[in-house]
Amino acid sequence: MKTKVAVFFGGRSVEHEISVISALQAVHAFDKEKYEVIPVYISKQGKWFTGVELLEIANYKDMQALEKKVDEVFMKPVYGDFNLYLSNPKGGFLKKKDPVLCELHVAFPILHGSHGEDGMFQGVLETIGIPFVGCDTLSSANGMDKITMKMILRESGIPVVDFVWFTDREWLSGRETIDEKIEKDLGYPVIVKPANLGSSVGIAKASDRKSLDSAIEGAIKFSSRIIVEKMVEDMKEINCSVLGDADHRESSVCEEPIRQKDFLTYDEKYGSGAKSGMQGSEKKIPADLPQATTEKIRKLAEETFRVLACNGVSRIDVMIDNETSEIYVNEINTIPGSLSYYLWEESGISFPHLLDRLIALGLKRKRDIDRKTYSYDTNIFAMGGGLKGGMKRGTKK
């Protein structure tokens, strides 16, 4: 029997289109002898759809026409119910309407950015109890939020650049105080980022107070939490992917993205063509680095993956200060663009085999979870517990 894998993609995120590209790359790479792949597209309005029409990227040019050709679906937030339901089941002559489209075996989120890579969707899957690929709710949330991530990494002895963070409300009520703190603690130039977005969305460089205020105003359009980092002016960006879980993991070859500006922009990452995604952006693979530097980066990537308790495949982006040779972890992508399959192909693991590994990791985690105790089979109310010493009727505490 084939394993039924639901690939979830799209989502309510500014990285919606990138998710579509990454997901379709994966769907077409699955070994169809082993898996029955069910595409589940989440629209920008949050509706779920499935159908073969979703497998052609050209169909996404006209979303209204596409949604008329596919079926709207949903899952119930009921533990143990792995069914994918039709929202509007169609019955025929002498046919009973069956709302169940199919029973799923594994969920595979390929959702980039907010409401998909930040733990929200993973929380839904954990509530249902279905095995799924990738990081769990906690590691997704910690990996997505740049502030929380850097706090954890710094506490764990992993080098990160100095930073200042604040909320949009703090900025609106006391921008001069925040400006002064940034200038005192970091100086110029700095990089301003929304705390919980990827793909370089909302990121800007600031070299003085005027450009700083402008960059922050741009960032708060995307996030309620903002991080401002000391900019490494003469630096080299290096990416490394890690595969596995917190106990057993391995790192890929390193890549050096080729950037034209101070940081790799959205257009540089994805502007080379809709079908190629991150795989199509300009880069050097393997990165032209001394062997000792490569090994140090790979170890830092693996340790970042371990400290954040990641699972599946992630991509860790680091910066090398060319003046001091210091290496800093910049961020982690817990659902990386194109699933970083091109790095694993260069490391000797084909895309179909990478997908096999990811499915196996999701199933293994489910087995491990099922061996834990989350509740007792006793009912303390039936035993009289908590009744005599409890709150009296009609009272509040």
Side-chain angles (χ1 to χ4, degrees), residues 248-261:
H248 303 283
R249 58 208 170 277
E250 60 184 292
S251 52
S252 72
V253 300
C254 295
E255 66 170 332
E256 180 185 354
I258 306 302
R259 56 191 174 91
Q260 305 300 323
K261 300 181 181 179

Side-chain angles (χ1 to χ4, degrees), residues 142-186:
N142 286 338
M144 188 69 190
D145 188 277
K146 295 177 177 64
I147 300 166
T148 305
M149 175 199 68
K150 297 202 174 199
M151 287 179 175
I152 294 171
L153 296 184
R154 186 168 59 185
E155 179 66 22
S156 302
I158 296 174
V160 296
V161 296
D162 293 335
F163 62 92
V164 169
W165 73 273
F166 49 90
T167 68
D168 53 356
R169 291 184 180 274
E170 288 174 330
W171 166 252
L172 294 172
S173 63
R175 65 175 63 197
E176 186 171 342
T177 301
I178 292 173
D179 281 342
E180 290 173 354
K181 179 174 177 57
I182 292 169
E183 290 168 344
K184 177 184 175 183
D185 293 355
L186 305 179

Side-chain angles (χ1 to χ4, degrees), residues 7-21:
V7 174
F8 292 87
F9 60 101
R12 295 191 302 114
S13 167
V14 294
E15 299 175 76
H16 179 100
E17 286 79 7
I18 311 309
S19 169
V20 174
I21 295 169

Side-chain angles (χ1 to χ4, degrees), residues 130-336:
I130 187 171
F132 66 93
V133 170
C135 290
D136 63 11
T137 302
L138 179 63
S139 54
S140 295
N142 286 338
M144 188 69 190
D145 188 277
K146 295 177 177 64
I147 300 166
T148 305
M149 175 199 68
K150 297 202 174 199
M151 287 179 175
I152 294 171
L153 296 184
R154 186 168 59 185
E155 179 66 22
S156 302
I158 296 174
V160 296
V161 296
D162 293 335
F163 62 92
V164 169
W165 73 273
F166 49 90
T167 68
D168 53 356
R169 291 184 180 274
E170 288 174 330
W171 166 252
L172 294 172
S173 63
R175 65 175 63 197
E176 186 171 342
T177 301
I178 292 173
D179 281 342
E180 290 173 354
K181 179 174 177 57
I182 292 169
E183 290 168 344
K184 177 184 175 183
D185 293 355
L186 305 179
Y188 293 109
V190 295
I191 294 289
V192 179
K193 304 177 181 179
N196 56 358
L197 287 180
S199 297
S200 300
V201 175
I203 296 179
K205 174 187 175 182
S207 300
D208 52 39
R209 183 170 289 200
K210 182 179 179 181
S211 58
L212 174 64
D213 289 352
S214 176
I216 293 172
E217 290 291 342
I220 63 176
K221 294 177 182 177
F222 297 100
S223 176
S224 61
R225 284 156 55 88
I226 308 301
I227 184 169
V228 180
E229 302 172 347
K230 177 66 178 176
M231 182 176 179
V232 180
E233 296 187 75
D234 183 11
M235 64 99 169
K236 180 181 290 188
E237 293 184 60
I238 302 293
N239 302 336
C240 180
S241 184
V242 178
L243 172 66
D245 56 28
D247 297 313
H248 303 283
R249 58 208 170 277
E250 60 184 292
S251 52
S252 72
V253 300
C254 295
E255 66 170 332
E256 180 185 354
I258 306 302
R259 56 191 174 91
Q260 305 300 323
K261 300 181 181 179
D262 293 305
F263 55 89
L264 198 64
T265 65
Y266 182 96
D267 287 340
E268 287 172 328
K269 287 180 178 179
Y270 303 111
S272 56
K275 291 185 179 180
S276 55
M278 271 297 291
Q279 183 270 340
S281 59
E282 191 176 354
K283 55 178 69 71
K284 294 179 184 177
I285 304 177
D288 185 15
L289 298 170
Q291 184 62 29
T293 303
T294 297
E295 289 305 313
K296 184 175 181 179
I297 290 171
R298 292 179 68 175
K299 288 181 180 178
L300 274 175
E302 291 182 27
E303 184 64 4
T304 298
F305 189 92
R306 185 193 72 83
V307 164
L308 295 172
C310 294
N311 192 294
V313 66
S314 295
R315 193 189 75 237
I316 291 83
D317 302 345
V318 307
M319 301 181 293
I320 302 175
D321 187 329
N322 290 325
E323 291 186 2
T324 66
S325 298
E326 292 291 327
I327 302 173
Y328 303 98
V329 172
N330 185 30
E331 63 182 25
I332 185 170
N333 297 269
T334 55
I335 306 180

Side-chain angles (χ1 to χ4, degrees), residues 302-375:
E302 291 182 27
E303 184 64 4
T304 298
F305 189 92
R306 185 193 72 83
V307 164
L308 295 172
C310 294
N311 192 294
V313 66
S314 295
R315 193 189 75 237
I316 291 83
D317 302 345
V318 307
M319 301 181 293
I320 302 175
D321 187 329
N322 290 325
E323 291 186 2
T324 66
S325 298
E326 292 291 327
I327 302 173
Y328 303 98
V329 172
N330 185 30
E331 63 182 25
I332 185 170
N333 297 269
T334 55
I335 306 180
S338 300
L339 299 179
S340 292
Y341 79 86
Y342 52 93
L343 289 176
W344 291 104
E345 286 185 336
E346 293 290 335
S347 304
I349 298 177
S350 68
F351 201 178
H353 185 46
L354 173 65
L355 296 171
D356 287 342
R357 295 274 297 271
L358 293 174
I359 295 292
L361 284 162
L363 294 172
K364 174 182 177 293
R365 178 176 55 200
K366 173 62 175 173
R367 292 193 299 270
D368 292 342
I369 290 173
D370 287 345
R371 285 195 287 265
K372 301 296 182 181
T373 301
Y374 291 95
S375 65

